[in-house]
Every structure is written in C-alpha cells, then in structure tokens.
Amino acid sequence: MTERTLQRDFNERLCYLPIERDGSTYSLNPIYLGRNKKADLKPVLEQLGLASMFPSFDVLSFNRPTNKQPPFLFRDIKVEDISEYTESFKQLTLAIQNHHLIDFEYKQQTYLFSQPYKLVNDRGVWYLSALHNGTLKSFKVTKLSKVNIAPEKFEYDISVEQKIRQQAMLWLTETPIEVVVKIDAAIASHFTASNLLPEQNIIKGLDDGCLLATASITDKNQILPVLKYWLPDIEILSPKELKQALLTELQFSIDKMSK
C-alpha cells in the first residue's frame, strides 16, 4: 500500500473517524479510545453535583484502568437502596432525558401531566423533582407508583433546573414542615400579641422570659424574611436545614455589602 493510498484512506474513506494529524503522523483522538482528560470529566462531575468531593481536579486521572490501584476509596456512603424500584427509576430517567410528560401515583394521590426535570439524591435519599400544575415539587422515589410515560412532550425550562440545583429537596414538598424557634424575652411580647410566624403556636414560656414556638411552612421563604427581621433575638432550633439556609442568605448579604 502506497503513502498516497493511505492519505486518501485517511482523508476520504475514514473521514468519519476522529483522526488527528500532526505533520506526517496520524492518530485517533484519545477520547475515542476511552482516554479522557481531566478537563473532559470536570463539567460532568459538576453537573452531577460531585465536584466538591475532590479538593482539586489535578489529583484525578481519567485514563483507562491499568494494573495500578486507584488512589481513592469511597466506603459506607449513605445512599438508600432503591433496587426494588429499578423499573420506575428507568422510566423516570427516560422521561427526563426525552422531556416527556409523566403520570404517577404518590401517597394515594394521582399526578397527571407532570414535567420531570431531575432525579436528585439529597442526603442519601432519591427524589424526583418535577413541575406539577406549574409548581416545582419533590417526590420520594420509593413512594412513587404506577409511573407512566405520556406521548406528549414539554418545553424544557433551564430556569427550573437552576432552581432545583439551588434548592434542597426538603423545601419542594407539599407536606408542611414544623419549625421550632426560641424567641428572646426582649421581643416575646410582639409574638404573644400577634401571630408573626406562619401557623404560629407558642408551646412554652421559659423562666427567663424567652418563648419556645413552632411554625408550619411548605417553603422556606414563608418564614426567612420574618426571622431575618427579628435577628439576633430569635433562634432556629429545628430543622437544621432552615438554620443553614438562613446563615447562607446572611453570608451572601454580607459578601455583597463588602464588595
């Protein structure tokens, strides 16, 4: 076979392959051979929410496995076993990938024409994050049943995915969440005179004049503005996710003011 024949093969017959040329040297793109660079996998890890597991991408190598043992080992990762729900998981995955509407049952209620956006593992628990009747909600995969992919498709909205990435699954639920707060004696009279918290209930007065109270919410934004107004004389006792959400918002405000 002549050099000219080889060049014709590379340029014409094999043009569908990712062949790279460097002078007189021809080679296949390393990605085609399964050898990905760090930069190739970084966006994938970020999209999956796994980037924070590694302090630096410089320590990673993504070549084909060799006889060398990998330097990392993950053990006892707390993720629920959903092997019994494999079929539902597959259907949800397909519907999300192809932007198909779905119907399903959840806690004895039927949800029709829902728009599935993500399967999210939040603190080891698998959730379906979907739009239903225009509202973003979360559903535990283990509580879903009778999943059916409808032939109709929906228009994907990137802003919905961004909200999913920013929001913990806890706050995308229809089930009311109980919030327990401690109210300082300096402002206690305001809360005994009026119900300033959503579904407020004073459960106990303490010897120092402080109050223990509960509130019921389905969205953190129902209560965070009130809590921020009365800081530092009010303290969140539970849930810890709400306390963290408040700290995050306060830190964001501080960072913004300091610029």
Side-chain angles (χ1 to χ4, degrees):
M1 184 177 291
T2 66
E3 180 180 346
R4 187 170 182 176
T5 301
L6 286 173
Q7 289 179 340
R8 185 185 65 217
D9 287 343
F10 285 138
N11 295 327
E12 297 177 10
R13 295 177 58 190
L14 301 177
C15 63
Y16 64 91
L17 292 174
I19 295 175
E20 298 179 344
R21 180 180 179 180
D22 183 9
S24 60
T25 302
Y26 291 83
S27 62
L28 279 176
N29 189 309
I31 295 177
Y32 190 78
L33 296 173
R35 297 199 301 270
N36 295 331
K37 299 177 181 177
K38 300 179 184 70
D40 298 323
L41 202 52
K42 179 180 178 181
V44 176
L45 290 175
E46 290 176 338
Q47 289 173 6
L48 292 173
L50 299 175
S52 61
M53 296 182 71
F54 297 95
S56 171
F57 284 99
D58 293 334
V59 302
L60 301 179
S61 176
F62 303 122
N63 292 331
R64 281 184 177 275
T66 65
N67 58 350
K68 293 183 179 180
Q69 292 296 320
F72 310 110
L73 174 65
F74 295 94
R75 65 191 314 163
D76 196 25
I77 297 178
K78 303 297 183 182
V79 178
E80 68 174 336
D81 181 7
I82 60 168
S83 55
E84 295 182 19
Y85 306 91
T86 300
E87 191 57 38
S88 294
F89 204 85
K90 287 181 180 179
Q91 287 184 290
L92 294 171
T93 301
L94 287 172
I96 292 169
Q97 290 176 330
N98 298 308
H99 302 161
H100 275 276
L101 297 172
I102 59 172
D103 306 325
F104 58 88
E105 288 188 4
Y106 187 77
K107 295 183 177 180
Q108 300 181 336
Q109 183 175 345
T110 301
Y111 290 80
L112 302 175
F113 307 114
S114 298
Q115 302 176 11
Y117 269 81
K118 284 287 183 186
L119 283 165
V120 182
N121 192 290
D122 193 339
R123 296 170 180 82
V125 179
W126 280 106
Y127 296 87
L128 166 68
S129 188
L131 277 178
H132 181 255
N133 291 337
T135 302
L136 185 59
K137 302 174 183 178
S138 67
F139 306 89
K140 287 187 176 181
V141 171
T142 56
K143 302 294 183 182
L144 286 166
S145 62
K146 299 182 180 179
V147 178
N148 177 61
I149 301 178
E152 297 86 0
K153 291 190 174 185
F154 65 92
E155 185 176 349
Y156 180 83
D157 186 350
I158 187 63
S159 66
V160 174
E161 177 169 334
Q162 291 171 345
K163 184 176 181 180
I164 293 170
R165 290 183 177 278
Q166 297 168 357
Q167 192 79 286
M169 292 299 99
L170 177 68
W171 308 114
L172 299 178
T173 176
E174 291 181 316
T175 305
I177 298 168
E178 184 181 70
V179 180
V180 182
V181 298
K182 181 180 179 182
I183 302 166
D184 192 87
I187 62 171
S189 61
H190 295 281
F191 288 82
T192 54
S194 303
N195 291 330
L196 301 179
L197 301 173
E199 304 294 328
Q200 175 180 300
N201 180 34
I202 305 296
I203 57 176
K204 187 178 182 180
L206 304 180
D207 294 338
D208 58 1
C210 295
L211 299 174
L212 291 181
T214 63
S216 182
I217 63 173
T218 55
D219 188 308
K220 65 178 181 178
N221 293 319
Q222 291 178 263
I223 196 171
L224 283 184
V226 179
L227 296 176
K228 285 190 286 187
Y229 179 83
W230 292 102
L231 287 175
D233 296 318
I234 192 166
E235 178 186 359
I236 302 170
L237 301 182
S238 69
K240 61 181 181 180
E241 291 85 358
L242 181 63
K243 187 171 185 177
Q244 185 57 51
L246 177 59
L247 291 173
T248 300
E249 288 200 11
L250 292 174
Q251 186 61 54
F252 177 78
S253 299
I254 293 173
D255 292 342
K256 190 174 181 180
M257 291 171 60
S258 61
K259 289 182 179 179

